[in-house]
């Protein structure tokens, strides 16, 4: 049996809880995937296509709230594969010559900041889901690169659709190609996927502050820590009406993750967590390093789809693709693809390095949040926890507003009716639901893999292809032969994403 056996009764109980909750959500997710499949088929035959249309800022709100919020902080991910891998011959019509004011280095920095975040700390558990020997890192790195390449290609497609249609947001691109009647589909997907991000944040904060308090000599339960951090820190931040004061703290995400990545690589090589190492004696058996014989060949197990699904969450930044295209100075397709290719390359290398460092340190016992494995007596690990916690605390309200505004948009609540009282009550209600889920679900790797296998795959692989196919169709005779020949490639990418989602969902539920 390829799958790694749980050695701890608590983990078995957590896994059961996760499965029950996931099955409860599966009906809604299945319906969403069914509707997505119908939309993809209609896009292929051109039945849902509509002429390009303009959009109002209100209609594009979820692109300006959830999307821009995640972009600015993304606590969740130059690929040396070369940007040319994303250069598609016969690309879109010439982009608007003026474009924005952002230089290519600025765009690359912001996009990498958007992609690389706290979600990378769950990737070692993704490797441990199918392997327990060091050689399992090799196929895992290959999967990270492959999913990064496909994700980058679909990110590129969205920018090219904007060039074809003149759209300036994800929703605007959808309205101009697939049609306004179904615009609720990507809106709902983006809103609820942002909710998954906030759920992951609450889980990380609960585990991180619990470990930090233990380091200081205070042993509080995870539940009490979560209630404390939610009531005293998260709730006041989520009730803020002006979040501009939090913008300077977005840099904490990059600094914190950079420090944490370096610390993990250090601990993987300095021997302090090897047999007889400095910190091993004080560790719980379920968190201590453990290695077996399931190496590279174990990647052929269906359990490898857990890692693949987690990557669909890690690489998710696609709702911001129009913004990067519009803001790029002299935004030709070639320059835009260079930004995309370089950014996804850097992100892929970062993912591979952190995933390998964590797995090579703890092997089969790599936790859903890898920081949980490190000893509370490890001062460097404690600094990592502080850095990650600070980053997430200030990121939380920026993504939280995406859920709140997204729900209001889906309910067609006008700006005039969005009173402070309504916003406050809704914020308290949403935060209560997220906190309740975070109390019940304790496996971060499950949340990221399940979210990636469902909504993540739709946003990354399915929706961009639907938009691209219809955009090419709308061009009629103006579409170049190269664009028409690319349609089967795009469809194959979408089908790959759907297949990964189906298998990944099944494996996440087991």
């Amino acid at each position: 049996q390829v799958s790694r056996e749980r050695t701890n009764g608590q983990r078995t109980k957590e896994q059961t809880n996760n499965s029950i909750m996931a099955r409860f959500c599966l009906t809604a997710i299945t319906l969403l995937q069914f509707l997505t499949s119908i939309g993809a088929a209609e896009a292929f035959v051109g039945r849902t296509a509509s002429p390009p249309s303009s959009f109002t800022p209100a209609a594009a709100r979820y692109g300006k709230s959830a999307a821009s919020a995640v972009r600015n902080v993304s606590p969740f991910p130059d690929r040396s594969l070369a940007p040319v891998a994303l250069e598609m011959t016969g690309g879109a019509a010439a982009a608007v010559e003026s474009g924005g004011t952002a230089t290519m280095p600025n765009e690359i920095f912001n996009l990498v900041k958007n992609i690389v975040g706290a979600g990378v700390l769950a990737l070692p558990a993704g490797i441990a889901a199918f392997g327990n020997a060091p050689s399992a890192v090799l196929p895992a790195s290959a999967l990270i690169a492959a999913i990064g390449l496909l994700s980058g290609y679909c990110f590129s497609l969205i920018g090219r659709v904007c060039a074809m249609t003149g759209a300036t947001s994800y929703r605007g691109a959808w309205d101009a190609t697939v049609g306004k009647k179904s615009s609720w589909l990507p809106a709902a997907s983006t809103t609820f996927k942002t909710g998954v991000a906030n759920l992951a944040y609450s889980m990380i904060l609960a585990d991180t502050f619990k470990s930090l308090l233990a380091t200081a000599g205070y042993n509080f339960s995870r539940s009490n820590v979560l209630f404390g951090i939610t009531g005293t820190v998260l709730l006041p931040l989520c009730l803020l009406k002006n979040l501009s004061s939090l913008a300077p703290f977005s840099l904490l995400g990059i600094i914190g993750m950079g420090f944490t990545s370096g610390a993990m690589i250090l601990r993987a090589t300095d021997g302090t967590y090897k047999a007889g190492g400095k910190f091993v004696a004080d560790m719980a058996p379920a968190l201590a390093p453990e290695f077996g014989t399931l190496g590279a060949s174990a990647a052929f197990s269906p359990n490898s789809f857990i890692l693949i699904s987690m990557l669909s969450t890690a690489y998710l930044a696609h709702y911001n693709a129009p913004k990067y295209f519009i803001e790029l100075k002299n935004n030709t397709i070639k320059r835009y693809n260079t930004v995309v290719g370089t950014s996804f390359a850097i992100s892929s290398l970062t993912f591979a390095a952190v995933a390998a460092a964590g797995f090579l340190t703890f092997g089969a016992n790599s936790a859903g949040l890898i920081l949980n494995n490190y000893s509370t007596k490890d001062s460097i690990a404690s600094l990592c926890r502080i850095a990650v916690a600070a980053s997430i605390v200030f990121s939380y309200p920026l993504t939280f507003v995406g859920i709140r505004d997204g729900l209001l948009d889906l309910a067609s609540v006008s700006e005039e009716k969005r009173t402070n009282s309504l916003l406050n009550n809704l914020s308290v209600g949403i935060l209560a639901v997220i906190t309740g889920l975070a109390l019940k679900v304790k496996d971060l790797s499950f949340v990221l893999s399940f979210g990636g296998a469902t909504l993540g795959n739709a946003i990354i692989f399915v929706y961009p292809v639907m938009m691209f196919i219809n955009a090419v169709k709308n061009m009629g005779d103006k579409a170049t032969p190269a664009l028409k020949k690319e349609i089967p490639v795009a469809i194959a990418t979408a089908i790959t994403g759907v297949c990964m989602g189906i298998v990944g969902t099944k494996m996440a539920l087991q």
Side-chain angles (χ1 to χ4, degrees):
Q1 181 181 2
V2 178
S3 61
R4 173 169 60 90
E5 294 292 332
R6 298 279 190 183
T7 60
N8 179 289
Q10 181 181 359
R11 288 189 176 186
T12 301
K13 182 178 179 181
E14 292 173 7
Q15 187 181 43
T16 301
N17 290 336
N18 293 340
S19 179
I20 293 173
M21 296 197 64
R23 293 178 191 278
F24 178 78
C25 299
L26 189 56
T27 300
I29 295 300
T30 302
L31 176 60
L32 180 60
Q33 288 187 323
F34 175 70
L35 292 171
T36 298
S37 300
I38 293 176
E42 291 178 335
F44 177 60
V45 299
R47 288 185 295 179
T48 61
S50 60
S53 58
S54 59
F55 65 99
T56 64
R61 172 173 295 280
Y62 85 84
K64 298 179 71 175
S65 57
S68 60
V70 176
R71 174 187 174 183
N72 288 336
V73 288
S74 184
F76 264 7
D78 200 315
R79 169 174 55 77
S80 57
L81 306 179
V84 71
L86 295 177
E87 289 286 357
M88 301 305 298
T89 58
V96 179
E97 284 298 322
S98 58
T101 60
T103 63
M104 290 178 66
N106 286 341
E107 289 261 302
I108 291 170
F109 176 83
N110 285 327
L111 183 50
V112 171
K113 178 162 67 78
N114 191 166
I115 299 172
V116 178
V120 71
L121 300 178
L123 294 183
I127 304 178
F130 67 86
N132 56 26
S135 61
V137 166
L138 299 178
S141 299
L143 287 173
I144 291 171
I147 301 301
L149 183 61
L150 289 176
S151 299
Y153 168 64
C154 291
F155 194 99
S156 173
L157 284 183
I158 300 171
R160 293 164 62 195
V161 167
C162 290
M164 297 177 191
T165 63
T168 57
S169 74
Y170 195 101
R171 186 165 188 170
W174 182 277
D175 290 348
T177 54
V178 180
K180 290 186 176 181
K181 290 184 178 180
S182 59
S183 62
W184 64 269
L185 191 58
S189 300
T190 303
T191 298
F192 289 107
K193 192 65 179 73
T194 307
V196 172
N198 273 104
L199 171 59
Y201 293 167
S202 289
M203 295 169 62
I204 293 173
L205 288 174
D207 291 340
T208 301
F209 275 99
K210 182 178 184 299
S211 297
L212 288 173
L213 289 170
T215 300
Y218 300 98
N219 293 314
F220 292 98
S221 69
R222 182 179 181 275
S223 299
N224 288 338
V225 171
L226 180 57
F227 282 129
I229 193 68
T230 300
T232 61
V233 179
L234 298 183
L235 179 59
L237 288 174
C238 290
L239 292 177
L240 290 176
K241 301 303 182 293
N242 185 356
L243 302 180
S244 59
S245 60
L246 300 180
F249 294 99
S250 66
L251 189 60
L252 286 175
I254 284 289
I255 297 175
M257 288 311 305
F259 177 80
T260 301
S261 300
M264 289 177 62
I265 294 173
L266 172 66
R267 288 306 190 219
T269 57
D270 66 2
T272 52
Y273 284 92
K274 295 187 182 299
K278 178 179 178 181
F279 300 113
V280 175
D282 298 321
M283 299 180 66
L287 298 176
E290 179 181 328
F291 294 90
T293 59
L294 299 177
S297 61
F300 292 103
S301 163
N303 286 335
S304 62
F305 280 87
I306 293 178
L307 173 62
I308 292 173
S309 298
M310 293 168 68
L311 290 170
S312 294
T313 293
Y315 281 114
L316 184 59
H318 292 60
Y319 29 64
N320 287 325
K323 195 174 182 75
Y324 285 105
F325 176 73
I326 296 301
E327 292 182 354
L328 177 63
K329 184 178 181 180
N330 186 21
N331 56 345
T332 63
I333 296 300
K334 181 178 180 180
R335 285 170 56 80
Y336 172 72
N337 279 344
T338 300
V339 168
V340 174
T342 305
S343 300
F344 275 82
I346 294 172
S347 301
S348 295
L349 289 173
T350 303
F351 288 171
V354 173
F359 178 76
L360 292 176
T361 303
F362 299 105
N365 279 340
S366 297
L369 175 62
I370 195 63
L371 290 182
N372 288 345
N373 283 97
Y374 293 91
S375 171
T376 55
K377 297 182 180 180
D378 186 344
S379 58
I380 293 181
S382 295
L383 291 176
C384 292
R385 294 184 179 107
I386 293 173
V388 170
S391 170
I392 293 178
V393 163
F394 291 109
S395 303
Y396 201 100
L398 296 173
T399 52
F400 182 87
V401 73
I403 314 171
R404 187 188 66 200
D405 289 358
L407 290 175
L408 291 172
D409 286 340
L410 291 171
S412 300
V413 178
S414 64
E415 290 286 340
E416 295 75 21
K417 295 182 179 179
R418 299 185 186 190
T419 63
N420 285 340
S421 175
L422 174 61
L423 294 177
N424 289 342
N425 291 335
L426 183 58
S427 296
V428 172
I430 294 172
L431 193 58
V433 171
I434 292 174
T435 303
L437 290 173
L439 287 171
K440 190 71 174 179
V441 184
K442 301 178 182 179
D443 188 348
L444 180 64
S445 62
F446 163 77
V447 171
L448 297 184
S449 61
F450 184 74
T454 52
L455 300 176
N457 272 290
I459 296 171
I460 291 178
F461 300 114
V462 179
Y463 299 159
V465 171
M466 293 172 65
M467 291 188 284
F468 175 73
I469 293 173
N470 272 321
V472 174
K473 178 184 179 296
N474 288 343
M475 293 177 68
D477 295 337
K478 295 181 180 180
T480 65
L483 278 176
K484 295 177 181 179
K485 291 180 180 178
E486 188 180 345
I487 288 179
V489 176
I491 293 175
T493 301
I495 292 175
T496 300
V498 171
C499 292
M500 291 191 302
I502 292 173
V503 180
T505 300
K506 180 177 182 297
M507 298 311 301
L509 293 175
Q510 289 185 349

